[in-house]
Amino acid sequence: MMVELRNLNKWYGEFHVLKNINLEVKQGEKIVICGPSGSGKSTMIRCINHLEEHQKGDIIVNDIPLNEDIKNIEAIRKEVGMVFQHFNLFPHLTVLENCVLAPIWVKKMPRKEAEAQAMELLERVKIPDQALKYPGQLSGGQQQRVAIARSLCMNPDVMLFDEPTSALDPEMIKEVLDVMIELATEGMTMLCVTHEMGFAKTVADRVIFMDGGQIVEENEPHEFFNNPQHERTQLFLSQIL
Ligand code: ADP
Ligand code: MG
């Protein structure tokens, strides 16, 4: 098991944002998470690498329990890569520097090795020619591909995506999805919050629908789209498809 959430509960102050979430993700599995805005999707995946703190229940990543032990938190963060809606690249650093920063400072990798690895991954996301530019000089689609390459530079076992194409112009969505599909084909364990239902149908082993801080429905994609069980899922699908 790569990621386990057991009875996960989280509150923002008085507001109960995640309610008894249970989820098991096996190595190599691809999970797509969808649901209305405010349903807790981002909060749930941000809990997995402790960008948000949970109050109740267990999170276990690759057999490491996420608890107060800073060693465990650091160990989990090394195994979990995350890609955000707004790329979150360092604007004052070149693409290459964005990619070598964590390997050098967190993994103590020699610079030469870090740069070689970064170039290899920039090739994989098809922008090696942009390595010496600054994020602001790149299109949104290119920036998001840099963000994916930067995550992969830490050699993660799991990748979390939080609406990676939602901030992109339509013509750039495909180039990012293509990179994600390739990553999936290579066997990466992935949890993707996305409303790209074509991606879900192609790639997902399971689709999860969240509403009101709960997992309302979970199924393999064909059944999920063709035979949704819950009224809330049916309503949601009728609005986005
Ligand atoms: P989603 O990603 O599904 O749109 P979020 O996880 O971002 O949902 O948010 C779930 C709920 O928690 C929303 O009602 C949102 O307003 C609230 N929320 C998110 N972040 C915070 C925060 N830092 N403090 C208080 N409430 C928050
Ligand atoms: Mg969100």
Side-chain angles (χ1 to χ4, degrees), residues 192-205:
C192 311
V193 177
T194 181
H195 292 152
E196 291 294 333
M197 292 301 139
F199 174 81
K201 285 176 191 168
T202 321
V203 164
D205 296 301

Side-chain angles (χ1 to χ4, degrees), residues 38 41-43 85 162-163 193:
K41 307 179 297 295
S42 296
T43 303
Q85 184 175 355
D162 192 359
E163 304 206 36
V193 177

Side-chain angles (χ1 to χ4, degrees), residues 175-241:
E175 65 189 51
V176 171
L177 291 179
D178 283 347
V179 168
M180 292 171 65
I181 290 169
E182 199 174 305
L183 197 56
T185 314
E186 290 162 7
M188 180 63 78
T189 310
M190 295 164 68
L191 281 85
C192 311
V193 177
T194 181
H195 292 152
E196 291 294 333
M197 292 301 139
F199 174 81
K201 285 176 191 168
T202 321
V203 164
D205 296 301
R206 275 184 287 153
V207 184
I208 282 172
F209 173 69
M210 285 182 74
D211 196 10
Q214 291 174 306
I215 293 179
V216 172
E217 184 157 349
E218 178 179 340
N219 218 329
E220 54 88 17
H222 186 82
E223 275 298 297
F224 182 86
F225 290 110
N226 293 295
N227 193 16
Q229 297 299 303
H230 289 261
E231 207 174 315
R232 281 188 281 175
T233 318
Q234 290 160 6
L235 179 66
F236 176 75
L237 288 176
S238 73
Q239 285 163 346
I240 64 159
L241 290 179

Side-chain angles (χ1 to χ4, degrees), residues 12 15 17 36-43:
Y12 286 121
F15 177 57
V17 60
S37 178
S39 56
K41 307 179 297 295
S42 296
T43 303

Side-chain angles (χ1 to χ4, degrees), residues 73-80 90 98-110 114 150 153-155:
I73 295 172
E74 284 173 355
I76 287 176
R77 287 213 175 128
K78 280 185 192 166
E79 310 212 355
V80 179
F90 298 109
N98 265 278
C99 291
V100 298
L101 200 61
I104 289 175
W105 291 99
V106 181
K107 283 204 168 164
K108 314 292 178 205
M109 191 183 279
R150 180 178 64 172
C153 282
M154 288 296 280
N155 195 21

Side-chain angles (χ1 to χ4, degrees), residues 2-125:
M2 193 55 86
V3 179
E4 280 183 79
L5 308 179
R6 290 194 204 134
N7 275 311
L8 179 66
N9 282 270
K10 175 174 177 57
W11 287 261
Y12 286 121
E14 301 275 280
F15 177 57
H16 196 177
V17 60
L18 296 178
K19 301 170 185 164
N20 287 318
I21 301 279
N22 287 290
L23 180 63
E24 294 190 337
V25 185
K26 293 196 205 77
Q27 181 166 21
E29 255 192 313
K30 294 96 182 80
I31 310 293
V32 161
I33 301 150
C34 62
S37 178
S39 56
K41 307 179 297 295
S42 296
T43 303
M44 181 178 84
I45 66 164
R46 290 168 64 87
C47 282
I48 295 172
N49 61 353
H50 203 63
L51 292 177
E52 295 288 351
E53 197 166 9
H54 67 286
Q55 281 79 41
K56 212 175 123 200
D58 300 310
I59 298 176
I60 302 154
V61 179
N62 214 355
D63 292 329
I64 308 165
L66 180 59
N67 48 30
E68 302 83 65
D69 191 339
I70 186 78
K71 282 212 181 72
N72 286 13
I73 295 172
E74 284 173 355
I76 287 176
R77 287 213 175 128
K78 280 185 192 166
E79 310 212 355
V80 179
M82 179 140 186
V83 172
F84 304 87
Q85 184 175 355
H86 294 290
F87 328 135
N88 297 15
L89 297 169
F90 298 109
H92 59 294
L93 297 179
T94 63
V95 163
L96 186 64
E97 286 304 313
N98 265 278
C99 291
V100 298
L101 200 61
I104 289 175
W105 291 99
V106 181
K107 283 204 168 164
K108 314 292 178 205
M109 191 183 279
R111 170 168 281 272
K112 265 217 149 97
E113 194 183 321
E115 285 184 357
Q117 178 194 251
M119 286 312 299
E120 214 169 277
L121 286 161
L122 289 171
E123 244 154 69
R124 226 164 107 187
V125 302

